Amino acid sequence: MAAVSGLIRVMERAARKAGARLRRDFGEVEHLQVSRKGPADFVSKADRAAERTLYDELKQGRPDWGFLLEESGEIEGDPSKPRWVIDPLDGTSNFLHGIPHFAISIAVQEPRLDGKGWGDVIAGVVYQPITDETFWAEKARGSWLHDGRLRVSSRRHLDEALIATGIPFAGAGDPAEWARIYAAIGPKVAGIRRFGSAALDLAWVAAGRYDGFWESNLQAWDTAAGCLLVREAGGFVTDWRGRSDPICNAQVLAGNDALHSRLHKLVAGALKD
């Protein structure tokens, strides 16, 4: 069992405080006042309240750090210090439809040494309020579910693999590209799932519940913590070309070494023309 660092304790405390309110609001989902931010992209009072709770808690813990928030955008801090990358409610549509599959995602990203932008993600927490599961990782310290070490799946064959994905919706994403990838992967694997929360999808890859994952057109707050979880659990996360950025979001392909390689070949073949 790894000793939980002070940083992870700050992150988990914030996630649990925000998660407690989300659980209460989820029980009264029919009473929520909801506004539209864009096509099929809902923002609820619960979403905004969770983000405010996370901001207040994390600001208290690290007063000089900046933020990248889904709802509030970028809030600058000391440029020599890390920043928080936060999705207060990943799986908003699930939440608003009474589907108990959503999460809070918090990551810590360091500034680049040359001062030009942002570099490695060094810590991540994905918290599922309904199941009370805290997935966490720190760079070079592994991935964990509470106090249990996580490892990506050891499956080596596609016909045994369960793969997660996100499907383009309401004008977001590239349906034609997704269809080509699905046509290449679908017939080769044991099953494909679309549950509606990229943060949890990646956490479940880290936990070996899923064997792989692909999606495109995501944002940094969707995947920052999840990318670290998969990598620290022994997996790989890249874009379609095999590039492994600190945060993969525009294109995400995740899995263990063997399955990632096989999935990458299928994706490359599907998109080569």
Side-chain angles (χ1 to χ4, degrees), residues 106-140:
I106 308 171
V108 177
Q109 188 176 25
E110 290 189 317
R112 287 176 41 149
L113 293 177
D114 61 9
K116 298 178 180 179
W118 295 94
D120 287 345
V121 175
I122 60 169
V125 164
V126 173
Y127 178 61
Q128 217 293 32
I130 300 302
T131 60
D132 194 33
E133 291 180 306
T134 302
F135 301 87
W136 63 274
E138 284 190 278
K139 188 177 178 181

Side-chain angles (χ1 to χ4, degrees), residues 7-262:
L7 178 58
I8 292 296
R9 291 190 187 280
V10 167
M11 297 166 73
E12 183 177 19
R13 182 170 62 245
R16 286 184 172 277
K17 187 168 183 178
R21 179 160 184 166
L22 286 178
R23 278 195 301 273
R24 291 195 300 270
D25 287 338
F26 184 71
E28 300 181 5
V29 67
E30 68 273 17
H31 302 305
L32 290 177
Q33 297 177 30
V34 180
S35 62
R36 280 186 181 266
K37 185 173 64 177
D41 190 5
F42 300 101
V43 179
S44 68
K45 290 175 65 176
D47 199 337
R48 295 186 181 278
E51 184 171 280
R52 185 69 208 186
T53 297
L54 292 168
Y55 175 83
D56 290 343
E57 289 292 311
L58 296 171
K59 186 71 172 177
Q60 181 177 2
R62 299 291 189 275
D64 50 357
W65 289 16
F67 289 79
L68 179 62
L69 300 150
E70 181 184 14
E71 305 304 336
S72 302
E74 188 168 5
I75 300 174
E76 293 185 1
D78 183 335
S80 68
K81 299 293 179 65
R83 69 174 178 178
W84 303 105
V85 182
I86 297 172
D87 190 338
L89 178 51
D90 186 58
T92 308
S93 292
N94 284 347
F95 183 88
L96 292 174
H97 286 83
I99 298 171
H101 190 82
F102 53 88
I104 293 167
S105 178
I106 308 171
V108 177
Q109 188 176 25
E110 290 189 317
R112 287 176 41 149
L113 293 177
D114 61 9
K116 298 178 180 179
W118 295 94
D120 287 345
V121 175
I122 60 169
V125 164
V126 173
Y127 178 61
Q128 217 293 32
I130 300 302
T131 60
D132 194 33
E133 291 180 306
T134 302
F135 301 87
W136 63 274
E138 284 190 278
K139 188 177 178 181
R141 297 191 68 224
S143 290
W144 303 79
L145 173 55
H146 303 302
D147 59 357
R149 186 70 180 264
L150 296 180
R151 299 286 188 186
V152 291
S153 164
S154 61
R155 294 184 180 90
R156 318 298 288 176
H157 304 292
L158 285 171
D159 61 2
E160 300 173 346
L162 186 64
I163 308 298
T165 188
I167 301 173
F169 60 94
D174 186 337
E177 178 189 76
W178 184 89
R180 291 169 72 180
I181 295 172
Y182 174 81
I185 292 176
K188 304 288 187 181
V189 299
I192 291 178
R193 300 289 183 268
R194 197 280 190 181
F195 282 2
S197 170
L200 274 178
D201 287 340
L202 288 164
W204 284 17
V205 172
R209 298 177 185 178
Y210 287 141
D211 301 297
F213 169 73
W214 94 87
E215 189 170 356
S216 61
N217 200 49
L218 293 168
Q219 301 295 330
W221 48 76
D222 296 316
T223 65
C227 286
L228 183 66
L229 281 164
V230 173
R231 288 167 176 150
E232 287 296 318
F236 291 83
V237 186
T238 70
D239 64 12
W240 300 160
R241 295 186 179 182
R243 296 173 298 197
S244 184
D245 294 328
I247 301 174
C248 291
N249 48 41
Q251 300 167 348
V252 187
L253 183 64
N256 66 29
D257 57 347
L259 293 180
H260 183 277
S261 177
R262 290 173 171 80

